[in-house]
Amino acid sequence: CAVGPNLRRLPSQLVALMLDADKRFTRYRAFRPGEKVSKHSARVVRLKVLTKPLIWDIEDKIRPLQIFVKHRHDRRAVLRIQGLVRGFLARHRLRHREEAAVQIQAVARGWARRRRVRSRLASLIFLQAWTRGMLARRLRPQQRLPDAEPEPKDEDGG
């Protein structure tokens, strides 16, 4: 099942396909005298020698192919753009998540650091109080307040 118009009835020239800079068969040249037909060959229709009604007939046959190729090209372009936008949005969301994670980690580290500082400060205050108490009891007994007189006990035993 051939696709497109039947070009065998039209005047054409057999050409050898050649590689371009990207290693694709996009260029062609005429066969040299005595050269064997290679598997990389094509027929080029000579449009300059065709009549106008024949050219119009070819255009009518080729138009659906051109529309299909244009549609496929446009669809690939749309898919490419969609992929680029999706990638951009994914990277954008990831960047915001990373920034949020950094903020959460900073808050957690600050909370842990303040908790450690409060604990050490409480230990330090306790140690200062204990040291001052020891100093007050041992080194300066003369500066302490005199002990209060004990209260007399009741004769009732209570």
Side-chain angles (χ1 to χ4, degrees):
C1 178
V3 177
N6 181 7
L7 299 177
R8 293 199 184 274
R9 62 190 170 94
L10 303 175
S12 62
Q13 178 182 4
L14 191 63
V15 294
L17 297 176
M18 299 178 60
L19 295 172
D20 63 2
D22 295 328
K23 305 292 186 217
R24 299 175 119 182
F25 289 106
T26 58
R27 303 184 66 195
Y28 65 91
R29 63 170 173 76
F31 275 102
R32 298 182 185 105
E35 183 179 0
K36 291 183 181 179
V37 176
S38 68
K39 63 179 179 177
H40 301 295
S41 62
R43 288 200 173 274
V44 176
V45 176
R46 297 170 51 213
L47 294 176
K48 291 184 180 180
V49 297
L50 297 179
T51 62
K52 288 284 185 192
L54 201 49
I55 291 175
W56 295 336
D57 185 39
I58 293 172
E59 288 175 353
D60 287 343
K61 303 281 187 196
I62 291 177
R63 190 171 293 119
L65 291 173
Q66 290 174 331
I67 290 170
F68 171 75
V69 170
K70 183 180 183 323
H71 169 73
R72 190 167 73 178
H73 178 268
D74 292 349
R75 181 168 166 76
R76 284 182 180 171
V78 166
L79 292 176
R80 173 94 171 129
I81 291 169
Q82 286 177 346
L84 292 171
V85 170
R86 283 190 193 113
F88 168 79
L89 292 175
R91 286 187 297 276
H92 186 69
R93 281 192 298 268
L94 183 62
R95 187 169 36 252
H96 281 293
R97 281 185 177 185
E98 286 176 352
E99 290 171 0
V102 167
Q103 286 182 341
I104 291 170
Q105 290 168 354
V107 167
R109 282 193 297 270
W111 177 80
R113 176 67 70 180
R114 285 188 295 277
R115 185 174 169 198
R116 252 190 324 269
V117 166
R118 276 194 300 268
S119 173
R120 288 180 181 171
L121 184 61
S123 297
L124 182 64
I125 290 171
F126 174 79
L127 190 59
Q128 282 179 338
W130 184 81
T131 305
R132 288 177 182 159
M134 287 295 290
L135 290 173
R137 285 189 292 274
R138 287 189 182 172
L139 300 178
R140 301 186 202 138
Q142 66 277 6
Q143 291 180 355
R144 288 176 36 192
L145 292 175
D147 288 336
E149 294 288 328
E151 290 185 24
K153 291 187 179 183
D154 288 340
E155 293 180 13
D156 295 346

